[in-house]
């Protein structure tokens, strides 16, 4: 009797220790599910949208899909872009046609746009399965889809819910500045404000650096563009004072908070302004034969606490074939600054069409010594190809 007891115990232990099955049967209950044999490329060159192709091979792992539809969705816009009823199925979807189906303007497509592609499978018994994961409300009623996250993890190349996005290849510089041509001196040297601390005024260079203005020395692509600076008082930006008399403001070569500049060894620095410094860069003309162009610059916000009136506003004045307009590039204050502080961060318009000139204006706001802003690598660019 004792031997039987031991045998039963061993069997129970073996059964109890066996790993839980994680099969597609248990995950999806043999529902509708379509996958790629290999996950296709889903990031596309924003300059070649008409020729970029989403391609791959679809297959039906449960062998019960009678029909598969793929829906593209962004915001409130959606469109069916594919339908298949046999597997395996080779697909080739033109990205430009997907954008057209969604009513998106290719010329003004934002680099941050993510397009959801959602599969819908009808099985042989007529049941419809959507690719969205279940979304249960407070009453435990599913208001979303059917495909679980476990199923998507089990099949990483799944074709039930995935996204396409866009990238911009590096540009070729037309003009710009990284402040390398501006003379510098001791990093502890301060800029002496000409007028009263809280007086709004154009800033002028002193007899020695740091310099806050610069006149371009030429107009070729290798010549850095010039800039001018102004001070504006900002009510209540600081509890200690308004404005400044002598602070580290202008072009420096500082490595206190970072190991290197994005380009070269200099940048425009401002700290303890107790107001706003506005930097206006020279207007840059775009060559007549260049139809796509853009502008970018990089900023390092000191890694500290930023108050509600501290931050940056930047815009670019452009002229086009049809007129002129202003494009906002940066509008960051308070917590939004803290979210990207402590690193060099690039602001970029992306490629714009038929722009004939750019004039960048950057406004830096800060009201305490620990709040610093560094600017570098202003570039007006065209496609490399």
């Amino acid at each position: 009797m004792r031997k039987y007891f031991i045998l039963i115990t061993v069997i129970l232990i073996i059964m109890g220790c066996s790993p839980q099955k994680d099969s597609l049967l248990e995950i999806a209950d043999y529902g509708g599910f379509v996958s790629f044999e290999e996950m296709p490329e889903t990031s596309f060159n924003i300059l070649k949208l008409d020729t970029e192709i989403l391609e791959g091979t679809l297959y039906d792992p449960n062998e019960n899909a009678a029909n598969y539809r793929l829906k593209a969705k962004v915001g409130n816009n959606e469109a069916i872009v594919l339908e298949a009823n046999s597997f395996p199925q080779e697909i080739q979807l033109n990205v430009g046609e997907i954008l057209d189906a969604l009513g998106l303007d290719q010329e003004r497509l934002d680099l941050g746009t993510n397009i959801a592609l959602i599969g819908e499978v009808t099985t042989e018994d007529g049941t419809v399965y959507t690719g969205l994961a279940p979304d249960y409300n407070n009453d435990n009623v599913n208001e979303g889809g059917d495909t679980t996250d476990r199923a998507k993890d089990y099949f990483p190349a799944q074709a039930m819910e995935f996204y396409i996005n866009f990238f911009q290849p590096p540009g070729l510089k037309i003009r710009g500045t990284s402040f390398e041509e501006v003379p510098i001196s001791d990093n502890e040297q301060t800029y002496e404000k000409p007028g009263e601390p809280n007086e709004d005024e154009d800033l002028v260079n002193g007899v020695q650096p740091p310099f806050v203005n610069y006149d371009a020395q030429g107009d070729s692509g290798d010549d850095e563009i010039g800039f001018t600076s102004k001070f504006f008082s900002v009510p209540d930006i600081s509890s200690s004072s308004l404005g400044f008399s002598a602070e580290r403001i202008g072009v420096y070569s500082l490595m206190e908070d970072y190991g290197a500049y994005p380009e070269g060894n200099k940048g425009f620095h401002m700290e303890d302004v107790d107001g706003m410094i506005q930097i206006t860069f020279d207007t840059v003309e775009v060559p007549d034969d260049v139809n796509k162009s853009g502008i970018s610059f990089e900023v390092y916000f000191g890694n500290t606490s930023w108050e509600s009136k501290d931050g940056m506003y930047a815009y670019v004045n452009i002229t086009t074939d049809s007129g002129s307009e202003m494009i906002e590039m940066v509008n960051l204050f308070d917590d939004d600054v803290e979210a990207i502080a402590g690193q060099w961060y690039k602001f970029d318009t992306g490629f714009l069409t038929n722009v004939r000139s750019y004039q960048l204006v950057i406004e830096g706001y800060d009201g305490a010594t620990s709040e610093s802003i560094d600017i570098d690598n202003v570039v007006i660019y065209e496609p490399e190809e």
Side-chain angles (χ1 to χ4, degrees):
M1 185 72 176
R2 185 176 181 182
K3 293 181 180 179
Y4 288 112
F5 175 75
I6 293 173
L7 177 62
I8 292 171
T9 302
V10 171
I11 292 172
L12 289 173
I13 291 174
I14 292 174
M15 292 178 63
C17 293
S18 62
Q20 180 182 0
K21 294 174 68 178
D22 198 28
S23 66
L24 186 61
L25 171 63
E26 291 190 355
I27 293 173
D29 193 24
Y30 273 101
F33 193 87
V34 168
S35 185
F36 290 102
E37 289 188 351
E38 292 184 6
M39 194 64 196
E41 179 60 54
T42 57
S43 186
F44 301 102
N45 186 341
I46 200 167
L47 298 180
K48 299 181 177 180
L49 296 177
D50 281 336
T51 58
E52 292 283 75
I53 302 294
L54 172 66
E55 56 185 335
T57 302
L58 297 171
Y59 80 105
D60 171 20
N62 288 340
E63 299 183 350
N64 64 353
N67 181 264
Y68 169 80
R69 296 201 307 173
L70 187 63
K71 177 174 67 177
K73 188 176 190 307
V74 60
N76 295 322
N77 300 340
E78 57 183 59
I80 301 298
V81 296
L82 173 73
E83 190 159 352
N85 51 32
S86 63
F87 304 91
Q89 178 74 253
E90 302 281 343
I91 67 166
Q92 288 191 330
L93 297 176
N94 181 279
V95 175
E97 292 178 359
I98 294 176
L99 297 175
D100 290 343
L102 290 169
L104 298 180
D105 184 350
Q106 295 184 33
E107 299 294 342
R108 293 186 173 270
L109 184 67
D110 193 318
L111 275 173
T113 300
N114 289 306
I115 297 176
L117 292 171
I118 303 163
E120 178 185 277
V121 177
T122 302
T123 56
E124 293 168 346
D125 65 2
T127 305
V128 177
Y129 295 83
T130 63
L132 294 171
D135 181 17
Y136 294 97
N137 62 20
N138 293 333
D139 297 322
N140 205 34
V141 175
N142 180 12
E143 296 180 334
D146 303 302
T147 306
T148 68
D149 289 332
R150 287 181 66 202
K152 293 171 185 175
D153 290 341
Y154 191 86
F155 276 76
Q158 52 82 24
M160 299 302 292
E161 183 184 10
F162 59 102
Y163 295 82
I164 60 176
N165 53 48
F166 306 94
F167 70 90
Q168 175 180 297
L172 183 66
K173 185 173 78 170
I174 298 173
R175 291 290 304 277
T177 183
S178 58
F179 305 97
E180 300 306 298
E181 295 179 0
V182 184
I184 59 173
S185 62
D186 188 331
N187 284 338
E188 297 306 315
Q189 185 70 39
T190 60
Y191 174 76
E192 308 291 330
K193 190 173 184 294
E196 294 299 316
N198 63 349
E199 180 183 348
D200 294 355
E201 64 178 330
D202 295 337
L203 301 181
V204 296
N205 288 341
V207 295
Q208 63 181 7
F211 291 148
V212 292
N213 300 325
Y214 179 69
D215 293 328
Q217 302 303 297
D219 57 7
S220 74
D222 294 330
D223 294 310
E224 293 193 327
I225 61 175
F227 58 89
T228 58
S229 302
K230 294 182 179 181
F231 171 83
F232 293 91
S233 61
V234 179
D236 302 322
I237 195 171
S238 175
S239 59
S240 58
S241 64
L242 184 62
F244 73 95
S245 57
E247 297 292 350
R248 293 201 302 180
I249 296 170
V251 177
Y252 288 84
S253 180
L254 298 176
M255 302 293 179
E256 299 170 359
D257 297 325
Y258 39 83
Y261 286 91
E263 180 66 27
N265 297 300
K266 301 176 186 178
F268 194 105
H269 178 83
M270 61 182 82
E271 66 182 41
D272 201 14
V273 174
D274 288 331
M276 182 264 279
I277 298 291
Q278 182 188 73
I279 309 169
T280 302
F281 293 86
D282 288 349
T283 298
V284 174
E285 303 293 333
V286 177
D288 292 339
D289 60 346
V290 174
N291 295 321
K292 285 185 178 293
S293 59
I295 184 170
S296 66
F297 65 94
E298 299 185 59
V299 179
Y300 188 101
F301 295 102
N303 195 11
T304 184
S305 60
W306 291 75
E307 307 303 327
S308 61
K309 292 191 176 183
D310 298 326
M312 176 173 286
Y313 184 77
Y315 58 94
V316 57
N317 296 312
I318 66 170
T319 59
T320 67
D321 293 336
S322 58
S324 61
E325 61 180 288
M326 184 271 281
I327 298 176
E328 180 181 283
M329 290 188 67
V330 186
N331 191 347
L332 288 177
F333 291 87
D334 202 359
D335 293 341
D336 291 335
V337 177
E338 291 188 19
I340 61 172
Q343 61 181 317
W344 282 102
Y345 194 90
K346 178 182 283 190
F347 298 99
D348 197 331
T349 61
F351 282 104
L352 306 174
T353 303
N354 296 327
V355 175
R356 302 274 56 92
S357 71
Y358 293 88
Q359 182 192 45
L360 176 65
V361 180
I362 300 176
E363 298 176 350
Y365 299 73
D366 69 75
T369 305
S370 60
E371 295 161 353
S372 61
I373 298 174
D374 292 273
I375 301 165
D376 191 35
N377 202 27
V378 177
V379 180
I380 296 88
Y381 57 85
E382 62 179 308
E384 201 163 29
E385 299 179 358

